[in-house]
Amino acid sequence: MITNRKNLAILLLMLAAIRLVAADLSPGEIKRRDRNAKFDKQHLRLKHDFVTDSSPNFTTPPAKPAVAGNWTTARKAPTVHLRILPNLEPEYFPATAQYMACWANWAPILRGPDNTFYFAASDHRGQGCQINIYRYAHKERQLSRIIDLHQLLDWQPDSYTDGKVHGAMAIMPDGHLLGATHYGVPPTAAWYEAGYQGSWLFSFDLTTNTGRNFGSPLKRSSLPCFTIDPQRGIFVGTGDSKTLLCWDYNTGQTLFAGYLPHGWIWWQRAMLLDQPSGKFWSSDVSETPFHLLSFNPSTLSFNRYDITVPTNPVTAKPGNLRGHTTRPAANGYYYWATMSGALLRFKPDSPTGPILEAVGVTWDRGRDVLQIALSPDGRYLYYQPKGYPSPLVQFDTKTNQHKAICFLQDYYFEKYGYWLGSEVYGLEISEKGDFIAMIVNGAFDGHNRSFGHPGLCIVEIPRNER
């Protein structure tokens, strides 16, 4: 009898807490919570494992795309595994200062040894933000949060904090995962008066599960874009205040922090590392058209070239650099997409100087692409363009032909009430090229509605399609 009374008391306290939290939610979050309950008809949010699907519908375009250039559709449908990310807590948010309050992924996926993948998801808030770093081990098909970043960085509920990870994390030779944060809400004077210094750099020992907070080397600036050279221990990030940070992981010293020469401004949404030379590449946005720009950490020197970012060859629309491969393809070129949907190839070290030229468009007449994976043999690109319908695309660098591996959005919405997301920021290929891991910024909120419940999607590519 006493046990029953205790259980009843606990239940009443839980119900009271739920009512209290609900009372604090913003009107938009209450509406989103109710819509989630309506659309999540198979309770995917509560599942602790992957759901597995394959269907002929995966290779059926919702409508015939007006794709420029050569394209085909895969003949055999892939097998797909999907799981909503765990530890999305709290699921809904009170009314606070925020750009958008919902869970999402904003950065590339990193592949580590033995088909382990690392990535981040966060709630985007400006105070007391929650940032989770996840690891997916494909052999065990195990997905888990390995870092609760607000604890590592000692953020308090009322702290003014960054709201996401927005750059490309890396695993250093000593086994530490290295990364940096970026704000979710643009800082105001109140932030700096309360002690906000800018983006935090952090590392995490993947063996001992211990972390380190390196503070904010680029003062009063956040880091919307960063790339890391693990071999040389160099971190380069571009600041929202038109500045650039070059930081040495091995010594913990700042090598460069400030403005570029000649009034040049490093583009905040792209940074390609050429591993052989150690140079970082992007574009100068101080004027249009945008000129190709490089930074050499060994000499701390910048160079701007008489080469401009090509326009979309179909629509002629200009657009700056975006997603790219992290190593050259078999033909010796890196591949780079633009925000207007041009697909470019780039060679930093040809005998006549850098080459940056358009080879086509990403999909349709050109779509924005955030991360491009390269097959192990260096022949095929894989990416998922933003928008709808948004297939997983394979691009053959030898023939310049596109292939739609699968169309997933309508299938998952009809079966699970889950819109798989029209905003894929992170996508990486396995060691052998047999599957793609991507973070879908999905939602249980209606057709073509993204953000709120990101998921990990594993697409097994049939052998005869790769």
Side-chain angles (χ1 to χ4, degrees):
M1 184 69 177
I2 294 177
T3 301
N4 290 338
R5 286 178 179 174
K6 284 185 176 180
N7 289 341
L8 178 60
I10 292 172
L11 177 61
L12 291 174
L13 286 172
M14 290 175 61
L15 291 173
I18 292 172
R19 286 194 295 269
L20 179 61
V21 171
D24 291 339
L25 296 181
S26 67
E29 285 293 86
I30 293 174
K31 180 180 179 181
R32 187 166 72 91
R33 178 200 62 190
D34 294 343
R35 288 175 65 83
N36 288 174
K38 171 185 175 182
F39 284 101
D40 188 12
K41 50 192 175 185
Q42 296 206 32
H43 309 293
L44 278 187
R45 292 174 298 153
L46 305 179
K47 291 186 181 295
H48 299 295
D49 51 15
F50 286 83
V51 294
T52 299
D53 292 273
S54 186
S55 168
N57 292 338
F58 285 174
T59 54
T60 304
K64 186 176 181 180
V67 179
N70 298 326
W71 73 281
T72 61
T73 302
R75 291 168 294 177
K76 185 176 181 180
T79 298
V80 180
H81 312 279
L82 172 69
R83 182 182 172 185
I84 305 303
L85 301 187
N87 302 107
L88 302 180
E89 301 157 351
E91 189 174 11
Y92 306 104
F93 307 99
T96 57
Q98 59 208 20
Y99 164 65
M100 57 186 291
C102 65
W103 287 92
N105 163 264
W106 305 96
I109 295 179
L110 164 68
R111 190 187 73 219
D114 301 321
N115 275 337
T116 56
F117 296 80
Y118 299 87
F119 54 92
S122 55
D123 62 27
H124 212 82
R125 290 183 293 168
Q127 284 184 283
C129 173
Q130 300 283 120
I131 301 178
N132 295 334
I133 309 293
Y134 295 91
R135 173 169 50 207
Y136 170 68
H138 184 71
K139 184 177 180 180
E140 299 82 9
R141 196 164 294 158
Q142 183 180 59
L143 173 63
S144 58
R145 180 180 66 181
I146 60 170
I147 310 175
D148 185 345
L149 202 54
H150 92 284
Q151 291 185 0
L152 174 63
L153 301 177
D154 195 30
W155 291 347
Q156 304 303 314
D158 59 346
S159 299
Y160 288 103
T161 60
D162 283 349
K164 55 193 173 184
V165 172
H166 207 260
M169 298 184 295
I171 298 175
M172 309 307 286
D174 62 3
H176 287 241
L177 181 72
L178 179 64
T181 62
H182 171 49
Y183 64 65
V185 180
T188 63
W191 286 50
Y192 298 111
E193 290 171 3
Y196 176 78
Q197 292 294 309
S199 282
W200 285 258
L201 269 65
F202 63 88
S203 71
F204 186 79
D205 190 323
L206 297 171
T207 301
T208 65
N209 294 328
T210 56
R212 183 174 176 184
N213 178 2
F214 293 102
S216 306
L218 189 61
K219 299 301 181 185
R220 299 179 71 87
S221 184
S222 193
L223 294 167
C225 181
F226 65 83
T227 297
I228 301 166
D229 182 350
Q231 178 180 313
R232 299 174 179 85
I234 298 297
F235 174 105
V236 177
T238 179
D240 63 292
S241 56
K242 302 179 182 179
T243 52
L244 190 96
L245 170 69
C246 179
W247 183 79
D248 190 328
Y249 171 77
N250 296 319
T251 64
Q253 294 182 338
T254 297
L255 304 180
F256 179 92
Y259 295 96
L260 279 62
H262 313 297
W264 299 338
I265 301 173
W266 195 281
W267 168 229
Q268 297 180 4
R269 289 296 184 268
M271 186 177 296
L272 184 150
L273 166 66
D274 175 42
Q275 184 65 58
S277 67
K279 291 183 180 180
F280 293 77
W281 295 81
S282 188
S283 65
D284 168 33
V285 295
S286 64
E287 61 182 18
T288 56
F290 307 123
H291 284 255
L292 191 64
L293 185 68
S294 70
F295 171 65
N296 188 343
S298 65
T299 59
L300 301 182
S301 59
F302 298 87
N303 198 356
R304 195 176 88 152
Y305 304 84
D306 290 330
I307 299 171
T308 58
V309 178
T311 60
N312 182 310
V314 174
T315 65
K317 290 182 178 179
N320 216 335
L321 301 168
R322 200 65 151 157
H324 56 78
T325 58
T326 56
R327 58 187 178 89
N331 59 15
Y333 287 87
Y334 292 91
Y335 281 78
W336 219 332
T338 71
M339 297 183 73
S340 65
L343 184 61
L344 316 177
R345 65 178 188 175
F346 169 60
K347 184 176 287 188
D349 57 355
S350 76
T352 58
I355 297 173
L356 185 66
E357 57 189 7
V359 295
V361 295
T362 53
W363 188 252
D364 288 347
R365 293 165 59 82
R367 303 264 200 92
D368 194 5
V369 170
L370 281 298
Q371 186 174 5
I372 301 176
L374 181 65
S375 64
D377 63 2
R379 177 169 175 174
Y380 298 101
L381 312 181
Y382 290 90
Y383 56 84
Q384 182 152 347
K386 295 175 68 175
Y388 171 78
S390 178
L392 173 61
V393 177
Q394 178 195 83
F395 177 78
D396 189 336
T397 62
K398 189 174 182 179
T399 65
N400 283 4
Q401 185 175 63
H402 292 85
K403 180 193 288 186
I405 297 296
C406 54
F407 297 84
L408 302 178
Q409 292 161 314
D410 287 322
Y411 175 91
Y412 280 88
F413 183 67
E414 292 169 6
K415 182 173 181 178
Y416 297 102
Y418 182 64
W419 186 257
L420 213 60
S422 304
E423 306 278 345
V424 173
Y425 293 94
L427 179 152
E428 187 54 285
I429 196 167
S430 66
E431 291 175 346
K432 295 182 178 180
D434 55 341
F435 69 87
I436 297 290
M438 59 185 181
I439 302 300
V440 292
N441 276 316
F444 299 94
D445 201 26
H447 189 275
N448 206 7
R449 301 272 294 184
S450 300
F451 299 118
H453 289 86
L456 175 62
C457 195
I458 304 298
V459 181
E460 296 182 359
I461 306 170
R463 184 179 297 276
N464 62 350
E465 301 295 351
R466 50 184 162 92

